Amino acid sequence: MAGLEDLYREIVLDHYKNPRNRGELETPPAVRVEGLNPLCGDEVVVFVALDGDTVADVKIAGQGCSISQSSASMMSAAVKGKSLDEVRKLTDAFKGMLNVGEHAHDEHGEHGNELPMGELEALKGVMKFPSRIKCATLSWNTLSQAIDEAKTATGA
Ligand code: ZN
């Protein structure tokens, strides 16, 4: 029987080989933000189109290591169609899972923001490799920036 780590590795590889929501959106109305992780040479380009308070569409372009690209693919699948509030909570929860950001685990192992993470759990193992955490969070940071710019653009 395959262990959890093998299953996680398969999910990450699947998203790397068959990235979801790959492509571009017309700008405007969508916004385009490029995220770079010079430590690893990763590039993630996020296109976001908002419909009011909802992520109407998201597309991913760019290139880089399997962690950065599969993380971007999983992120796109996780946030598409979600409200901005849900996306913010999911972003916090994802960073908390990797022990970075405002919702990092405290010394008692408490977690401020428990959400069902689905496939995103597959990236939990990255926590053991501090140098790769930036690969996993790159797409999420880029998405946050893209949403901020999209909100400014629509005057929301
Ligand atoms: Zn990387």
Side-chain angles (χ1 to χ4, degrees):
M1 208 176 92
L4 200 55
E5 295 216 358
D6 292 322
L7 175 68
Y8 282 173
R9 199 172 300 127
E10 265 178 46
I11 294 172
V12 171
L13 269 179
D14 178 51
H15 276 270
Y16 181 56
K17 288 181 184 160
N18 308 295
R20 320 299 196 263
N21 302 301
R22 189 91 188 159
E24 300 188 355
L25 293 174
E26 197 184 333
T27 56
V31 296
R32 174 191 189 278
V33 172
E34 206 175 295
L36 295 171
N37 172 21
L39 291 177
C40 181
D42 303 319
E43 178 199 31
V44 170
V45 184
V46 176
F47 294 84
V48 167
L50 299 184
D51 179 9
D53 277 339
T54 302
V55 176
D57 205 356
V58 55
K59 294 277 187 198
I60 305 292
Q63 56 197 343
C65 72
S66 57
I67 301 288
S68 66
Q69 301 305 306
S70 62
S71 176
S73 170
M74 285 183 214
M75 177 204 72
S76 70
V79 304
K80 196 169 165 177
K82 295 266 167 57
S83 73
L84 296 185
D85 194 43
E86 286 174 302
V87 171
R88 194 176 42 77
K89 283 181 183 154
L90 197 58
T91 304
D92 284 349
F94 182 76
K95 289 187 179 179
M97 184 181 84
L98 293 178
N99 233 356
V100 294
E102 290 171 38
H103 294 279
H105 295 261
D106 67 20
E107 59 191 8
H108 306 293
E110 295 287 326
H111 199 299
N113 197 350
E114 288 289 355
L115 279 182
M117 301 296 287
E119 288 188 325
L120 296 169
E121 288 260 359
L123 289 168
K124 201 171 181 175
V126 170
M127 207 172 99
K128 285 185 267 178
F129 307 97
S131 63
R132 310 304 297 279
I133 289 176
K134 280 203 163 64
C135 303
T137 55
L138 175 65
S139 55
W140 291 89
N141 291 333
T142 310
L143 175 75
S144 297
Q145 201 187 330
I147 287 175
D148 282 347
E149 289 193 16
K151 283 196 314 202
T152 306
T154 57

